[in-house]
Amino acid sequence: MNEIMRVGLFAGIQIRSFIITTLCVLMIRSIVNMITVHFKCRGGIYPRSNVERFPVPDDKVSWSSEYKEYLPNNHTASSIRGQPWADPNIGEPGFNPQWNAMDGKVNRASYMGQYSIKGGYPLNPIGRTGITGRGVLGRWGPNHAADPVVTRWKRFENGEIEKDKLNNKPILQCVVIKRRDTGEWALPGGMVDPGEKLSATAAREFQEEAMNSLVMTDDQKVPLMEKFKKFFSEGDEIYQGYIDDHRNTDNAWMESIAYNFHDNSGSTVGALKLHAGDDAVGVQWVDINPDMKLYASHKEIVMLVYQKCLANFSHGNN
């Protein structure tokens, strides 16, 4: 290969890498831009209660839109009071939260930027939800979760990657769990413990909900943790921002950071038997496609991972 060909090949590789990176950045921006209006936390009965949300039309969601008739019910579930992971009620002695900042080990800053405080209460950055209070959420303001999107290529028994018959693209699969509270399929994520590293939360939640690690003996758990150590240290951050969650209120809302952990060869997590645990009643590998239905904003996150993995797919996979 002469020098000109080598230079041309190197330039081609650089251009391809630039295109893939640009596509991923654009996809992340499109997801961020998309979750600027919430739907699932407006109207109907608030989860795990008989409290009805006040109707919020599309043109009245924004706090900047005048809505003189807005008289939402106030609801904070009695079941969360006194829980170690939950805030006291606003106004209780000794509770002086530092909004929009790290408050000790509790992160009260939002991925959406500065949120407003009205009458001592934080306001949902997306807008009205038809109910005030905290509902069943532990924290006033942002409640941070981490969601692992664990993926593998679907393969035949001989190890060959299976292609979609309609578009001839490789079929990507991800792990989903069936939530105990709603019965919906979702990513196996969970809340970030105070002071916990976000990627560590994602790995822990996957092991608890998809591998049922909480009931394992130390003899079972140690080799599993060792096997997972490298795999879960190499995740790609996919998304951070607001989540359109049924539990959101005017004063408390879900935000998440999502990581993709891709088992390209299918020999690590992809080869293990899954066991539902913790808050899950079912767990399975599913084919990722535009028609899939998932909890909250999880489908949008999964589809972003799908596009990223396809963009990076090499026909050298086997």
Side-chain angles (χ1 to χ4, degrees), residues 15 18 21 33 48 55 63 101 125 136 167 179 181 193 217 223 229 245 252 254-256 278 299 309:
I15 292 171
F18 173 76
T21 302
N33 290 335
R48 304 177 220 173
W63 295 112
V136 294
N167 56 30
R179 292 177 63 99
D181 56 352
D193 290 339
T217 65
K229 187 175 181 180
D245 193 290
M254 289 298 303
E255 297 187 5
S256 181
D278 197 22
K299 176 185 173 180
C309 288

Side-chain angles (χ1 to χ4, degrees), residues 112-180:
M112 306 298 289
Q114 292 280 115
Y115 51 87
S116 301
I117 308 298
K118 184 176 180 180
Y121 291 82
L123 290 183
N124 189 311
I126 300 299
R128 299 180 178 96
T129 66
I131 196 166
T132 59
R134 266 181 299 159
V136 294
L137 296 178
R139 304 291 179 193
W140 296 101
N143 287 254
H144 292 114
D147 292 308
V149 188
V150 177
T151 55
R152 71 179 183 184
W153 300 112
K154 189 175 184 179
R155 296 173 184 267
F156 293 108
E157 289 187 6
N158 65 3
E160 181 184 351
I161 294 176
E162 187 174 341
K163 301 287 185 65
D164 189 310
K165 294 180 181 178
L166 295 178
N167 56 30
N168 200 37
K169 292 181 179 179
I171 298 174
L172 187 69
Q173 296 184 309
C174 71
V175 175
V176 294
I177 57 103
K178 192 171 186 179
R179 292 177 63 99
R180 190 181 303 274

Side-chain angles (χ1 to χ4, degrees), residues 48-291:
R48 304 177 220 173
S49 78
N50 58 1
V51 181
E52 188 170 1
R53 292 181 185 270
F54 195 90
V56 182
D58 290 348
D59 62 345
K60 300 296 184 183
V61 173
S62 173
W63 295 112
S64 62
S65 300
E66 187 177 24
Y67 194 9
K68 293 180 179 179
E69 301 83 6
Y70 188 57
L71 293 171
N73 287 314
N74 183 282
H75 174 61
T76 297
S78 58
S79 59
I80 70 174
R81 186 167 179 81
Q83 295 292 339
W85 42 264
D87 287 334
N89 286 328
I90 289 176
E92 288 191 13
F95 182 54
N96 301 297
Q98 303 300 305
W99 306 120
N100 289 297
M102 282 298 299
D103 185 12
K105 290 187 176 182
V106 177
N107 184 9
R108 300 192 189 277
S110 170
Y111 295 135
M112 306 298 289
Q114 292 280 115
Y115 51 87
S116 301
I117 308 298
K118 184 176 180 180
Y121 291 82
L123 290 183
N124 189 311
I126 300 299
R128 299 180 178 96
T129 66
I131 196 166
T132 59
R134 266 181 299 159
V136 294
L137 296 178
R139 304 291 179 193
W140 296 101
N143 287 254
H144 292 114
D147 292 308
V149 188
V150 177
T151 55
R152 71 179 183 184
W153 300 112
K154 189 175 184 179
R155 296 173 184 267
F156 293 108
E157 289 187 6
N158 65 3
E160 181 184 351
I161 294 176
E162 187 174 341
K163 301 287 185 65
D164 189 310
K165 294 180 181 178
L166 295 178
N167 56 30
N168 200 37
K169 292 181 179 179
I171 298 174
L172 187 69
Q173 296 184 309
C174 71
V175 175
V176 294
I177 57 103
K178 192 171 186 179
R179 292 177 63 99
R180 190 181 303 274
D181 56 352
T182 67
E184 295 175 275
W185 290 97
L187 294 172
M191 306 306 294
V192 178
D193 290 339
E196 185 175 33
K197 188 178 178 181
L198 296 172
S199 58
T201 303
R204 171 176 58 78
E205 287 292 337
F206 177 81
Q207 291 164 44
E208 291 178 1
E209 295 194 343
M211 302 301 300
N212 204 14
S213 63
L214 291 177
V215 301
M216 291 181 180
T217 65
D218 288 341
D219 288 342
Q220 294 172 317
K221 193 180 297 186
V222 170
L224 184 66
M225 297 304 107
E226 192 61 34
K227 185 179 182 69
F228 282 172
K229 187 175 181 180
K230 185 173 188 297
F231 179 75
F232 281 109
S233 69
E234 298 176 341
D236 293 330
E237 183 180 320
I238 296 298
Y239 171 73
Q240 61 175 23
Y242 186 84
I243 296 293
D244 186 8
D245 193 290
H246 302 279
R247 298 168 292 179
N248 292 349
T249 74
D250 287 3
N251 309 122
W253 59 92
M254 289 298 303
E255 297 187 5
S256 181
I257 185 165
Y259 292 89
N260 176 217
F261 301 97
H262 181 60
D263 188 356
N264 196 55
S265 68
S267 60
T268 309
V269 176
L272 294 175
K273 188 174 181 180
L274 303 174
H275 298 276
D278 197 22
D279 294 328
V281 292
V283 59
Q284 62 181 358
W285 288 96
V286 295
D287 296 353
I288 297 175
N289 63 74
D291 298 324

